[in-house]
Amino acid sequence: MQATYGNRVGVVIPTRGRARLVLRAVKSVLAQTHTDLEVIVVLDGPDDETVSTLSAIDDPRLRVEVMPQRGASAARNRGVQLANTDWVAFLDDDDLWRPGKLEMQLMLAKSSTDALPIVSCRSLNVSHQTASPYPLRIPLPNEPVSEFLFSMRGWPPRHGGIQTPTILAPRILFKRLLFDETLPRHEDWDWLLRAVQIPGSALLFLPEILVEVDRFSSLQRLSSLRDWRYSFNWIRARYDLVTKRAYSGFLLTVIPAFAARGGAGFGEFLLLLKEAAMRGQPNLIQLTVFAIWWLLPLRLVNWTGKMLVKAKSG
């Protein structure tokens, strides 16, 4: 059954110690063609410079909340609590929205017959002098969300994916299902996998690029991704939330990128392969990508990946 929602959107931006960047992010929200919104910047710990910088913005739609330092997930949850809106969207402090982002997502969400629509879109991942669309494919009709996230399709193989700054959903859904504040990584995937289990929820996807993600800054923040065992343990604990194909896809195409950069050896890669074979549903694409990460030098893998992205986005 379709639910009735108003038009007001709460935009939650967690930040700390990045005054110049968050100022750009806030301005990109206030420049939206959809103007019925409030921007809630949640400071994850005391940050006088950011408070001072944002105080120069004379717009009643902006508010700043300072909380004890507890991490980005806690900051997002706090922003949801503070929002006095029907909808909530998230933006990271180093990313930007294109002007029509909220307007287009609301139009799609309000046309849906689903009670709890979750709307995402494509982004442009910007790093140094390069920029590439993400994801490189859109969800197939009736494709399980876990397979869109973790299972490559086509040739050359293409991942799907969802990034937090692309998500818009009803506030009641975020109030019902908070981000897991105990997770240092994968909290966005974790939330989405749990959210689509709730009756009435559905993922809707716009193919347009409506978000610009600072990939270089994100990778700097996520340098601990080399700890591939964290990801291994995370997906094993979420086995019931993913399909078997998605499970093996995560083990054979997502984790190997972390493992290779972290210097994993023969035994570690063999562990991933065994787990995928025993509990997943590996296919030829997954096994091929896994073999590339396992057997080829890292520098060659990175070069090949860049060439494939360039070819597919050109």
Side-chain angles (χ1 to χ4, degrees), residues 5-58:
Y5 299 104
N7 294 319
R8 192 164 179 80
V9 181
V11 181
V12 179
I13 308 177
T15 189
R16 183 171 184 268
R18 295 151 71 93
R20 180 182 60 83
L21 289 174
V22 76
L23 179 64
R24 290 191 318 144
V26 168
K27 287 182 176 180
S28 78
V29 177
L30 295 176
Q32 289 290 297
T33 55
H34 178 82
T35 58
D36 188 7
L37 55 84
E38 62 178 15
V39 187
I40 305 167
V41 177
V42 183
L43 301 182
D44 184 29
D47 185 352
D48 293 340
E49 181 184 1
T50 298
V51 172
S52 175
T53 298
L54 294 179
S55 67
I57 297 180
D58 183 19

Side-chain angles (χ1 to χ4, degrees), residues 18-142:
R18 295 151 71 93
R20 180 182 60 83
L21 289 174
V22 76
L23 179 64
R24 290 191 318 144
V26 168
K27 287 182 176 180
S28 78
V29 177
L30 295 176
Q32 289 290 297
T33 55
H34 178 82
T35 58
D36 188 7
L37 55 84
E38 62 178 15
V39 187
I40 305 167
V41 177
V42 183
L43 301 182
D44 184 29
D47 185 352
D48 293 340
E49 181 184 1
T50 298
V51 172
S52 175
T53 298
L54 294 179
S55 67
I57 297 180
D58 183 19
D59 193 315
R61 296 175 296 172
L62 172 64
R63 59 189 295 191
V64 178
E65 171 80 2
V66 182
M67 60 176 281
Q69 188 173 359
R70 292 169 47 199
S73 289
R76 292 189 183 104
N77 290 338
R78 178 60 177 157
V80 169
Q81 294 171 353
L82 293 171
N84 183 27
T85 61
D86 292 289
W87 304 89
V88 166
F90 298 99
L91 180 60
D92 290 341
D93 59 9
D94 52 355
D95 301 330
L96 303 172
W97 283 350
R98 294 186 173 178
K101 191 261 190 190
L102 289 181
E103 181 179 4
M104 294 179 67
Q105 287 191 310
L106 275 175
M107 189 180 303
L108 178 58
K110 300 192 79 171
S111 69
S112 172
T113 58
D114 301 295
L116 298 169
I118 304 167
V119 185
S120 183
C121 62
R122 272 193 166 123
S123 62
L124 189 70
N125 284 357
V126 181
S127 178
H128 297 300
Q129 301 301 315
T130 64
S132 57
Y134 179 87
L136 291 171
R137 69 177 183 91
I138 63 175
L140 299 174
N142 301 315

